[in-house]
Amino acid sequence: MDEEVLMACQECDALQRVPWVPAGRKVRCRGCGTTLYHHPRGGLDRPIALLLGAMVLYVLANSFPLVTLDIGGASRETSLIGTAWALYNHDMKLLGILVFLTSLAVPGAILFSTLYVLVGLRLQRSLPGLRQMLALLSHIHPWEMADVFVISILVALVKMSGMAEVIIDAGLYALVGYILLGIAASASIDVFVLWRRLERIDHFSHGELSFEAGK
Amino acid sequence: MTVLLRAKSLGLASCGICRQVVRLPLPSATQPKCPRCGGRVHSRLPHSLVRTWAFLIASMVLYIPANVYPVMKNTYLGAESSNTILSGVALFLKEGDWLLAFVIFTASIVVPLLKMVSLLYLLMSVRKPPVARRARQQTVLYRVTELVGRWSMVDVFVIGILTALVQMGAISTVEPGIGAMAFGAVVVLTMLAAISFDPRLIWDQEKQ
């Protein structure tokens, strides 16, 4: 596939024709050096596999407590939702909602909508809402903070370790695994490349040509 | 090396969602929609500077209560103590937890301040003609500012986790303080300020 694409850099607006590079390579802006797009290896199958794993771990991370604290026989545990709920209940409603959104809801929304988009593209169907979800994904990412949350748990645990016994529960291991898989998955996804795939599916589904899988 | 033209000078714009390059209609025509993804296409984010200023000023105002009021109240065996962000860092230092002091100091004090200062700098310098290399550095500065902002949430999460865990009745309890609320707002507002800023403006005053 040796076509060219017309792109304008999102950071400096430099207009340029760039080559459509093979998988594993990225294209940088000739003006400011920002990555214009990268063509990930592994096609759609790799991010789908990684995100399916992440999905299982996300469910587990939300089904079990993350940590348990034991002070002189009195023990308490917490989860992702428990943390948001605690703030909500201690007269910090907005803060509780913010924590709920950034540590739980947005990560989940990104996970499930990305999977939906990838599976739709893999099946070469414009599933309902696929376009809207792909559009949403280009804006929602900064609000995903599950990784920041894990660092916060570690900080809280070290802080408590002096005066209490700290037990790390299954949920935290699942949460760390979910984050690692999520990082690997987003390294194998480029939104621009996904839009081009979608465009081709729309094009071919109008019946002009048959389309081979995996291209 | 070939001279690069800005898309705007040719009446073109890149879709913010799918990157499709779209021809913009003449001024005052209806807002163009992207033929590929259906999103609205802007040559530059609408009211970028005004919005960035507004979010930035709001975050600076709230930064004061975020640092003055306690973010956390702690009782331990009947003794009550409340901490602001800064006194929390000092407490870590006193207890010899250098790493924690460093993490909290970086996430809660250095990152928000750096974000505010760098956005302020970008907002003020964006009207001047860019020397090419400085525009490049400013673009990198913007990218870093946008990227690190979310890490300021560490303190908010820590307060939430401690509030959830440390509810041991007479032995020890933790309550969030009003400063935490203000600090959460600072994090959100500085992130909104960074998102509202259009880095393409850095390159706009260039001599053609």
Side-chain angles (χ1 to χ4, degrees), chain B residues 68-157:
Chain B
V68 170
Y69 289 108
V71 289
M72 209 167 79
K73 286 178 211 136
N74 184 15
T75 59
Y76 186 65
L77 300 174
E80 228 175 284
S81 63
S82 66
N83 275 305
T84 61
I85 294 174
L86 210 56
S87 76
V89 173
L91 196 67
F92 279 136
L93 280 181
K94 213 170 75 185
E95 288 166 0
D97 281 323
W98 290 87
L99 184 65
L100 283 197
F102 175 76
V103 169
I104 296 293
F105 186 75
T106 307
S108 303
I109 294 170
V110 177
V111 170
L113 275 180
L114 270 183
K115 272 187 84 168
M116 288 179 201
V117 170
S118 79
L119 282 173
L120 206 58
Y121 164 69
L122 289 172
L123 280 170
M124 304 224 268
S125 68
V126 82
R127 290 176 190 282
K128 296 177 198 152
V131 183
R133 191 190 289 169
R134 214 184 49 191
R136 220 174 151 135
Q137 287 167 353
Q138 288 176 352
T139 308
V140 174
L141 177 69
Y142 171 72
R143 223 181 300 152
V144 172
T145 303
E146 200 191 15
L147 222 71
V148 298
R150 42 205 288 288
W151 288 95
S152 310
M153 277 290 277
V154 166
D155 226 4
V156 173
F157 287 147

Side-chain angles (χ1 to χ4, degrees), chain A residues 6-24:
Chain A
L6 183 65
M7 292 188 90
C9 176
Q10 297 277 309
E11 312 256 329
C12 76
D13 210 29
L15 192 68
Q16 48 209 299
R17 287 201 172 278
V18 296
W20 183 247
V21 293

Side-chain angles (χ1 to χ4, degrees), chain A residues 6-16 30-36 67-69 71 74-78 82-83 86-87 90 92 94-95 98-99 102-103 131 134-135 138-139 141-145 147-149 151-153 155-160 163 191-192 195-196 199, chain B residues 1-2 4-8 10 12 14-21 36-37 44 72 76 91-92 97 100 103-104 136 139 142-143 150-151 153-154 156-168 171-172 174-178 180-181 184 188 191-192 195 198-200 203:
Chain A
L6 183 65
M7 292 188 90
C9 176
Q10 297 277 309
E11 312 256 329
C12 76
D13 210 29
L15 192 68
Q16 48 209 299
R30 286 199 289 268
C32 70
T34 308
T35 301
L36 291 173
V67 284
T68 305
L69 198 66
I71 302 180
S75 82
R76 254 184 103 87
E77 55 187 37
T78 192
T83 302
L87 287 172
H90 283 83
M92 296 277 157
L94 283 173
L95 211 55
L98 180 67
V99 169
T102 53
S103 70
R131 219 160 260 283
L134 190 47
S138 18
H139 289 300
H141 266 284
W143 303 100
E144 192 267 322
M145 303 188 193
D147 48 353
V148 182
F149 192 90
I151 299 296
S152 310
I153 293 179
V155 171
L157 289 189
V158 177
K159 192 180 161 74
M160 286 292 106
M163 59 183 204
V191 174
F192 174 70
W195 278 109
R196 279 181 58 91
E199 188 177 47
Chain B
M1 198 179 148
T2 50
L4 286 167
L5 289 170
R6 309 285 156 207
K8 191 186 183 187
L10 298 171
L12 301 172
S14 167
C15 170
I17 291 169
C18 75
R19 309 279 179 94
Q20 171 84 40
V21 175
R36 177 155 61 191
C37 69
R44 301 290 177 265
M72 209 167 79
Y76 186 65
L91 196 67
F92 279 136
D97 281 323
L100 283 197
V103 169
I104 296 293
R136 220 174 151 135
T139 308
Y142 171 72
R143 223 181 300 152
R150 42 205 288 288
W151 288 95
M153 277 290 277
V154 166
V156 173
F157 287 147
V158 169
I159 292 159
I161 293 161
L162 292 180
T163 304
L165 282 177
V166 188
Q167 297 299 335
M168 311 293 188
I171 308 169
S172 186
V174 165
E175 298 277 326
I178 193 72
M181 192 82 202
V188 171
M191 283 179 70
L192 288 173
I195 291 168
D198 191 332
R200 291 171 292 194
W203 300 77

